[in-house]
Amino acid sequence: MTNYPEPVFLKETLSTNLYLSELCNKKKQPEFTCIYADYQTAGRGQRGNRWESESGKNLLYSFVVYPGFLEAKKQFLLSQITALALQETLSRYTDGITIKWPNDIYWKDKKLCGTLIENDLTGIYISRSISGTGVNLNQKSFLGSAPNPISLRQITGNQYDKKEILQQILEHTVKYYSLLKKGDVSEIILRYKQNLYRKEGFYPFKDAREIFMGHITDIKPSGELEVTTESGQIRTYLFKEIEYIL
């Protein structure tokens, strides 16, 4: 059962986020209007990185919601919803799928998905949110400079139908977005933390000061990552203020 518009397929576009944004600027589109493409000529990742994707091999999509009920300070919930939908969908096909804070999807120590969310504000509320994700689905090899990409095909040896996977992701996203609308965020927060990459044990991290061993102890409602060092010092980071050493 679906309660979102039929996803729109494009053979090629600059980026699905940009295409959907321009579409919404011309005329407000229904919630969960989704664009997916075989190829992006200017696909963007976080930190200004370019997303490498061989034409026709992977799932590249963006969708829009209008969470006018959600304060900007709680926008991290949108990241959690998107990440959970991806984690749950891909976990149907293989074990070891986790969410690397804030919203990358990992298989073991390899990156399977990346998401870029762009929010528009009206006052203190989020009037529009466009979420764009690249899922490494059927690509057999990666030639770019990204350090650790992997595809679902490389993991399992199987080939996947892009639209079928997309529909599963959207169904999970709609489910979590419905919880968010009702104000029932406890399950979202709990499941996010349960499926977090490197949630147990000490691992190397790098911040502006040093490389150190730390243990993830919390994710704040604002989205900040709380890490406790081996000496017991608690440190809190915004996105881009800390790096995982892989």
Side-chain angles (χ1 to χ4, degrees):
M1 186 189 77
T2 61
N3 51 350
Y4 51 83
E6 181 73 13
V8 176
F9 173 72
L10 303 173
K11 189 70 181 167
E12 183 177 299
T13 186
L14 280 172
S15 91
T16 55
N17 264 31
L18 181 60
Y19 185 96
L20 185 53
S21 177
E22 290 176 349
L23 198 64
C24 292
N25 289 342
K26 290 173 187 171
K27 180 185 176 184
K28 186 175 180 178
Q29 302 297 310
E31 249 185 354
F32 286 100
T33 293
C34 180
I35 306 295
Y36 69 112
D38 262 355
Y39 187 65
Q40 296 181 128
T41 55
R44 292 169 295 151
Q46 292 170 339
R47 302 176 186 265
N49 294 333
R50 200 169 176 278
W51 184 262
E52 181 196 350
S53 181
E54 188 181 339
S55 180
K57 295 296 184 183
N58 300 320
L59 175 56
L60 314 168
Y61 71 93
S62 299
F63 67 86
V64 63
V65 290
Y66 304 97
F69 56 89
L70 191 66
E71 292 180 86
K73 67 182 180 182
K74 297 179 180 178
Q75 63 185 298
F76 185 62
L77 284 161
L78 296 171
S79 276
Q80 290 174 294
I81 283 169
T82 303
L84 276 171
L86 287 160
Q87 192 276 333
E88 287 191 6
T89 299
L90 295 169
S91 290
R92 294 180 62 179
Y93 302 98
T94 186
D95 295 330
I97 304 289
T98 56
I99 301 165
K100 179 175 171 284
W101 175 87
N103 57 14
D104 283 342
I105 301 299
Y106 266 48
W107 176 76
K108 298 186 177 180
D109 292 324
K110 300 281 190 177
K111 185 173 177 176
L112 196 54
C113 312
T115 295
L116 177 67
I117 298 176
E118 297 176 306
N119 295 324
D120 292 341
L121 305 182
T122 299
I124 63 169
Y125 293 94
I126 301 170
S127 53
R128 186 179 84 185
S129 179
I130 292 179
S131 178
T133 297
V135 183
N136 293 331
L137 213 54
N138 294 317
Q139 192 159 330
K140 288 183 177 179
S141 62
F142 294 86
L143 306 173
S145 58
N148 61 337
I150 197 165
S151 71
L152 196 57
R153 183 171 184 177
Q154 286 177 317
I155 297 166
T156 68
N158 299 323
Q159 190 149 334
Y160 298 91
D161 183 280
K162 293 192 287 290
K163 188 174 182 182
E164 184 181 316
I165 299 285
L166 175 58
Q167 286 174 329
Q168 292 171 21
I169 293 167
L170 289 173
E171 283 166 15
H172 282 294
T173 309
V174 169
K175 175 185 73 175
Y176 282 114
Y177 189 68
S178 297
L179 289 177
L180 181 58
K181 270 187 167 177
K182 293 175 191 170
D184 186 6
V185 301
S186 57
E187 186 179 350
I188 296 167
I189 293 165
L190 176 65
R191 290 199 182 188
Y192 179 88
K193 290 179 181 178
Q194 285 175 338
N195 291 291
L196 206 57
Y197 173 68
R198 291 186 173 178
K199 65 182 168 70
E200 295 170 358
F202 284 85
Y203 292 93
F205 292 91
K206 181 181 180 183
D207 63 13
R209 290 176 286 178
E210 62 181 345
I211 293 174
F212 66 95
M213 297 296 290
H215 169 57
I216 295 173
T217 44
D218 198 13
I219 307 289
K220 302 294 186 184
S222 61
E224 291 175 297
L225 181 71
E226 182 184 282
V227 178
T228 302
T229 67
E230 284 182 307
S231 63
Q233 182 187 23
I234 297 172
R235 301 181 183 180
T236 307
Y237 300 94
L238 294 167
F239 179 53
K240 296 186 180 180
E241 291 181 346
I242 186 171
E243 281 182 52
Y244 292 72
I245 304 295
L246 301 175

